[in-house]
Amino acid sequence: MVINETHRMHSTAALGLPRVVPPGSGVTIASHHFPSLTVLSVPTYTIHHSTSIWGPDAGQFNPSRWVPGTLTDRQKASFIPFGYGPRACVGRNVAEMELAMIVSTVVKGFEFELRESGELETREGFLRKPVSCRVGMRRRRRAAN
């Protein structure tokens, strides 16, 4: 739940990869016609922060929205941190597995403290990167046996 909400709030690729409408008569998507050779892109950041999809709290970090059985079909279809379709990230399964293992291992062994206040500033481009995010960490104390 926390990993998915983090992906939704802070997708690595905010812009989506551009695609070109093939030569010919163009393509119609959701009642909008795009002529051939038009460059289209799905802005992941915009979709992941849309209040019409995620509700009025779309701009807030809310892991409970991922409780099984609570997502709408539209939310499921709109969650695309690794892209969508035949050109989506081929390493998604490995990345998700590694991320779950790394996060659970690190959180189990360490405590974290955010050392900055305010909103997280990011630099936009193909990849979203934090401008600055200072975090302190210390090893967790083991429970005495």
Side-chain angles (χ1 to χ4, degrees), residues 1-11 61 66 79:
M1 293 188 318
V2 170
I3 292 174
N4 280 348
E5 185 67 353
T6 302
H7 275 312
R8 187 188 72 78
M9 290 295 296
H10 301 289
S11 299
F61 185 79
W66 299 94
F79 182 60

Side-chain angles (χ1 to χ4, degrees), residues 87-139:
R87 301 273 190 251
C89 176
V90 296
R92 177 182 184 159
N93 292 337
V94 173
E96 287 179 335
M97 180 186 65
E98 286 180 335
L99 189 55
M101 294 290 293
I102 290 168
V103 168
S104 61
T105 301
V106 170
V107 169
K108 181 180 176 185
F110 297 90
E111 294 177 356
F112 295 86
E113 177 184 357
L114 187 58
R115 296 206 171 146
E116 294 186 18
S117 60
E119 291 289 318
L120 178 67
E121 247 186 281
T122 58
R123 180 179 29 194
E124 303 296 329
F126 173 67
L127 300 177
R128 288 184 73 231
K129 298 178 183 179
V131 173
S132 175
C133 184
R134 293 182 326 118
V135 177
M137 59 189 286
R138 66 180 163 267
R139 188 173 296 277

Side-chain angles (χ1 to χ4, degrees), residues 26-84:
V27 65
T28 301
I29 302 171
S31 303
H32 298 283
H33 182 76
F34 300 95
S36 66
L37 305 179
T38 300
V39 177
L40 300 174
S41 180
V42 177
T44 308
Y45 181 89
T46 304
I47 290 171
H48 285 176
H49 288 81
S50 170
T51 55
S52 68
I53 297 169
W54 300 100
D57 68 341
Q60 298 172 355
F61 185 79
N62 179 9
S64 64
R65 76 176 81 242
W66 299 94
V67 170
T70 60
L71 289 179
T72 67
D73 289 340
R74 187 169 185 211
Q75 288 170 330
K76 290 176 191 174
S78 300
F79 182 60
I80 53 169
F82 291 93
Y84 182 78

